[in-house]
Amino acid sequence: MGNHMSNVRVKGLSELNDALQKLPAKMEANVLRSAMRAGANVIKDEARANVSVASGKLRAGLKVSTSSRRGKVTAKVKATGEHAHVAPWLEFGTAAHRIVSKGKGLNIGGVVVRSVDHPGISPRPFLRPALDSKAQQAVVAVGNAIKKRLATKHGIDTADIEVEAE
């Protein structure tokens, strides 16, 4: 299955890390959160392009969130909104299963029934392929965002640091 994170090689990250270490911890975390958001947006945009359903609600509900806890900064691409519950079904598929009404029955095409046998669906992954195909581009985006922010907001000279895929 495509590239995995362990194969991603990017030049310039250790030099950026050295520059980051000059900042107080809170500033460093803010720079990293902003940079991780830039990288996660690369994955989110690809995942949106991969979603195989006609409704734009799942696509529009893909969002990026970042957090910083105990010095560890993370970014997530997650499904939010009205169709968020559909995301795992698409990504991983579902086995055949019976759906049973908990109330007055299920309205299926104008016919009310107590239960229905769902055939299940095969997986149509959109998130994992996005990560597999764009991991390196995402890491480069993180590095370039760190480089730019250190230069513009913190006055650290990053001009000689090149961030690129190896």
Side-chain angles (χ1 to χ4, degrees):
M1 237 203 209
N3 312 349
H4 290 290
M5 290 300 289
S6 58
N7 300 343
V8 173
R9 308 261 317 137
V10 175
K11 291 199 312 210
L13 295 183
S14 61
E15 293 87 340
L16 282 176
N17 187 47
D18 293 345
L20 270 173
Q21 297 312 310
K22 297 173 183 165
L23 298 177
K26 189 174 163 81
M27 277 186 198
E28 181 185 350
N30 287 340
V31 171
L32 287 173
R33 278 179 77 162
S34 156
M36 292 292 283
R37 179 175 296 282
N41 275 320
V42 171
I43 306 300
K44 178 196 73 183
D45 291 345
E46 182 70 4
R48 275 188 175 158
N50 290 346
V51 171
S52 66
V53 289
S55 164
K57 290 180 181 175
L58 176 59
R59 200 172 275 122
L62 294 177
K63 305 282 186 211
V64 169
S65 69
T66 62
S67 67
S68 176
R69 286 190 191 92
R70 289 188 231 75
K72 182 179 180 182
V73 175
T74 58
K76 289 182 194 165
V77 177
K78 59 186 182 179
T80 66
E82 193 180 340
H83 284 187
H85 66 283
V86 176
W89 300 342
L90 274 179
E91 186 77 17
F92 304 111
T94 65
H97 57 284
R98 174 163 283 204
I99 301 170
V100 179
S101 168
K102 291 186 170 105
K104 295 181 176 157
L106 303 163
N107 186 334
I108 311 286
V111 179
V112 177
V113 295
R114 304 280 323 135
S115 69
V116 64
D117 290 320
H118 190 290
I121 63 166
S122 57
R124 286 179 265 173
F126 60 95
L127 199 49
R128 183 63 206 220
L131 182 61
D132 287 345
S133 67
K134 296 292 182 178
Q136 195 159 47
Q137 195 179 323
V139 174
V140 169
V142 168
N144 280 320
I146 292 170
K147 177 180 168 171
K148 183 177 176 187
R149 187 152 170 168
L150 287 177
T152 58
K153 288 222 163 104
H154 301 287
I156 296 172
D157 182 11
T158 58
D160 58 338
I161 299 174
E162 286 297 317
V163 181
E164 59 190 43
E166 285 187 347

